[in-house]
């Protein structure tokens, strides 16, 4: 049984997660992550990080699910076991696909929806992280512009306070944009792997069904 091949997706997700965790540890060890969180008084960075963890958890669960579906498909092809209804999406398609091309196409669409339909939640989280990063940019520049009110009334003693407020606004704008971009890129890589694996599993199943029909 080729378990390494069928569990490649989960191993790739685990590798990406390990590298991401190592990167987070290094930024925490250098104090960069703490600085980003503490300088963001809007707490948008914290929301983005939580969204990334949620999306990564979803990607991890889906990688295990799709890896198991690949294993079930491999076992079905080899005739090693039988499956209950709903246990294997490939088995459901191969045993219940219609006799007409239209029915077979509908069953293939149902299988594809089961294989990658949940990934839309992950892509929504990815887009949400980008939008939160842009929101942080707008809020940061708003803080900077707000600190310039009453500029004509400032004296020398107020310059230091003004500079601190402007620096705080710039930090919010830059940090939220950075965290949103990096988080969305890392999560997009995970979801892209899931989508490609799901598409390949569906394509292999449909191809196997066609070859079986021709052989019969």
């Amino acid at each position: 049984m080729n378990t390494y091949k069928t569990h490649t997706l989960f191993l790739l997700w685990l590798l990406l997660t390990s590298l991401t965790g190592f990167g987070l540890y290094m930024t925490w060890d250098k104090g960069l992550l703490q600085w980003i969180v503490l300088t963001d008084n809007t707490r948008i960075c914290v929301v983005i990080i939580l969204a990334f963890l949620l999306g990564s958890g979803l990607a991890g669960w889906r990688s295990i699910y799709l890896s198991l579906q690949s294993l079930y498909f491999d076992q079905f092809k080899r005739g090693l076991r039988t499956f209950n209804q709903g246990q294997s999406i490939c088995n459901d398609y191969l045993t219940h696909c219609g006799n007409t091309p239209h029915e077979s196409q509908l069953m293939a669409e149902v299988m594809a929806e089961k294989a990658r339909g949940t990934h839309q939640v992950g892509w929504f989280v990815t887009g949400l992280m980008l939008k939160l990063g842009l929101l942080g940019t707008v809020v940061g520049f708003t803080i900077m512009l707000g600190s310039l009110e009453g500029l004509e009334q400032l004296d020398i003693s107020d310059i230091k306070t003004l500079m601190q407020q402007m620096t705080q606004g710039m930090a919010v704008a830059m940090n939220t944009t950075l965290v949103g971009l990096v988080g969305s890129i890392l999560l997009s890589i995970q979801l892209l792997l899931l989508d490609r694996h799901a598409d390949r599993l569906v394509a292999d199943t449909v191809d196997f069904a066609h070859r079986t029909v021709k052989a019969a």
Side-chain angles (χ1 to χ4, degrees):
M1 189 185 307
N2 196 350
T3 55
Y4 174 76
K5 178 181 178 182
T6 54
H7 287 87
T8 300
L9 177 63
F10 175 68
L11 294 176
L12 285 175
W13 176 84
L14 194 60
L15 176 61
L16 286 173
T17 305
S18 300
L19 292 175
T20 303
F22 177 74
L24 288 175
Y25 169 77
M26 291 301 297
T27 55
W28 180 272
D29 185 63
K30 298 299 182 180
L32 179 61
L33 186 60
Q34 297 96 311
W35 178 79
I36 290 176
V37 173
L38 292 177
T39 55
D40 178 23
N41 55 1
T42 64
R43 295 296 179 264
I44 294 178
C45 286
V46 176
V47 176
I48 295 175
I49 293 174
L50 291 177
F52 173 76
L53 295 177
L54 175 64
S56 296
L58 174 63
W61 171 69
R62 291 298 298 176
S63 69
I64 296 175
Y65 175 79
L66 289 175
S67 295
L68 286 175
Q69 292 301 320
S70 297
L71 178 62
Y72 293 158
F73 178 55
D74 183 71
Q75 291 175 340
F76 180 87
K77 289 191 299 183
R78 297 170 182 265
L80 298 178
R81 59 177 293 186
T82 58
F83 299 94
N84 298 324
Q85 177 69 26
Q87 184 178 5
S88 171
I89 59 176
C90 300
N91 175 76
D92 293 343
Y93 169 78
L94 293 170
T95 56
H96 297 92
C97 62
N99 297 322
T100 65
H102 179 67
E103 291 178 347
S104 298
Q105 181 180 358
L106 289 178
M107 291 298 298
E109 292 177 356
V110 171
M111 177 177 58
E113 176 63 25
K114 292 180 179 179
R116 60 178 300 178
T118 312
H119 302 171
Q120 296 301 321
V121 178
W123 287 113
F124 170 78
V125 174
T126 301
L128 178 64
M129 293 167 63
L130 280 175
K131 291 178 176 62
L132 287 173
L134 294 176
L135 175 63
T137 303
V138 174
V139 172
F141 281 109
T142 301
I143 294 175
M144 290 180 58
L145 295 175
S147 63
L148 298 178
E149 294 182 358
L151 183 62
E152 67 281 354
Q153 302 176 359
L154 293 178
D155 53 25
I156 301 298
S157 61
D158 296 327
I159 297 298
K160 182 178 180 181
T161 302
L162 174 63
M163 294 302 296
Q164 289 177 345
Q165 292 176 349
M166 294 185 65
T167 302
Q168 183 183 32
M170 180 62 71
V172 170
M174 296 297 101
N175 290 339
T176 53
T177 303
L178 176 64
V179 174
L181 286 175
V182 173
S184 64
I185 290 172
L186 293 175
L187 186 57
S188 295
I189 295 174
Q190 299 180 46
L191 295 172
L192 181 61
L193 288 174
L194 292 175
D195 284 347
R196 293 300 301 159
H197 188 89
D199 291 341
R200 187 166 57 250
L201 178 62
V202 172
D204 290 344
T205 304
V206 174
D207 180 68
F208 176 77
H210 288 173
R211 287 189 287 107
T212 302
V213 171
K214 290 181 179 180

